Amino acid sequence: MVKQLCFFEWTVLCHLLLLVAVCSKKHGNPANDLVDIINNNRTSQKLPKLNDSPGLGCMALQYVKLCKGNCSTGNAVNCKPPDDDFTEVFAPNCGVELPTFGTITGHMVGCKTKYLEPSRAFSDVLVKDKKALSLLRNKSHTEVGVGLVGFHKSFFWCVLFSDGKTNSTFVLDDHGEGIRQKKGCFSGSTYTCSDGEKTKTGLSFCNILMVGLLYIYYILQNFYHC
């Protein structure tokens, strides 16, 4: 009986480790995943990879936060913030050091009434035509930042490009930490990502399962001395 319980303990432990691995992979940062997809597309055309800029990513998040509620039936964002908002609103909200503010060489914005995995968001929302693909493969780009956020079952994505120098433009203050964002995701972030209802629900489910398995493991360890 004890041997069977000990075997069950090891089974629980293995499932716990597997659950941690699956949950951490599934609920990572989709903004980082989009940067990887963008760079893979560029390198497939023998173009250099773009530097993932947290400062640009955070400003991309500010862009879509400002445009919430402006998603048309064609998945287009009917919103164009004034150019001054980048330096007067977006940068300060992120903690971008203004002397390091560089040139934004292009942007892509899109939305959907439901959350999409990064690969689907890339092909179905952001890069739907040759014009967007041409922008993505522009040789003048050196940096990229991605932001996304969900509002009332509508999700918004934004990609910003720059021709700045790595670690010299769009630098975040507080040793690169910047200002923590309460909602949404942006690429290069060191903070926990919250990309809307889907992630919150998934994380809660994972947490419940892990607590349950840990409790069972604790009981077996302390009462059956496996």
Side-chain angles (χ1 to χ4, degrees):
M1 180 67 179
V2 175
K3 287 184 178 180
Q4 288 179 332
L5 287 171
C6 289
F7 176 76
F8 181 63
E9 178 197 347
W10 279 105
T11 303
V12 169
L13 181 59
C14 289
H15 279 82
L16 181 62
L17 293 173
L18 180 62
L19 181 65
V20 171
V22 170
C23 289
S24 63
K25 181 178 180 181
K26 186 175 181 181
H27 304 294
N29 188 336
N32 286 338
D33 295 337
L34 272 167
V35 169
D36 291 339
I37 293 170
I38 288 169
N39 276 326
N40 287 338
N41 187 283
R42 285 178 60 90
T43 55
S44 69
Q45 302 299 309
K46 297 183 178 180
L47 292 169
K49 285 185 176 183
L50 303 177
N51 176 55
D52 186 358
S53 168
L56 270 181
C58 184
M59 290 198 299
L61 174 59
Q62 303 302 313
Y63 191 113
V64 285
K65 279 184 177 179
L66 186 68
C67 293
K68 64 180 180 179
N70 288 283
C71 186
S72 71
T73 54
N75 302 327
V77 178
N78 298 317
C79 170
K80 188 177 181 181
D83 291 342
D84 289 345
D85 278 4
F86 283 90
T87 53
E88 296 178 4
V89 180
F90 300 165
N93 285 349
C94 291
V96 172
E97 298 176 0
L98 287 180
T100 69
F101 197 95
T103 301
I104 294 174
T105 52
H107 74 280
M108 298 188 295
V109 188
C111 59
K112 195 79 172 178
T113 54
K114 62 180 181 179
Y115 176 79
L116 295 178
E117 296 297 333
S119 58
R120 288 282 308 282
F122 177 82
S123 58
D124 296 355
V125 177
L126 294 169
V127 188
K128 298 185 294 184
D129 52 37
K130 291 182 178 179
K131 182 179 179 181
L133 188 60
S134 177
L135 173 62
L136 183 148
R137 294 174 177 173
N138 191 309
K139 293 181 180 180
S140 66
H141 303 326
T142 56
E143 293 186 304
V144 64
V146 176
L148 66 113
V149 69
F151 290 107
H152 306 297
K153 296 185 179 180
S154 290
F155 289 83
F156 296 80
W157 291 263
C158 177
V159 181
L160 295 179
F161 298 100
S162 170
D163 61 358
K165 295 182 179 180
T166 304
N167 300 324
S168 297
T169 51
F170 304 103
V171 175
L172 294 174
D173 59 17
D174 194 19
H175 305 289
E177 295 292 323
I179 298 174
R180 185 165 188 166
Q181 304 299 306
K182 295 182 179 179
K183 188 174 180 64
C185 295
F186 66 92
S187 59
S189 172
T190 58
Y191 295 116
T192 302
C193 173
S194 170
D195 61 348
E197 297 173 8
K198 178 177 181 291
T199 294
K200 289 177 183 177
T201 302
L203 280 172
S204 298
F205 180 68
C206 281
N207 289 340
I208 291 169
L209 282 178
M210 282 190 280
V211 169
L213 289 172
L214 281 170
Y215 181 73
I216 295 171
Y217 183 74
Y218 172 81
I219 294 294
L220 292 171
Q221 277 280 341
N222 288 274
F223 291 93
Y224 294 99
H225 307 290
C226 290

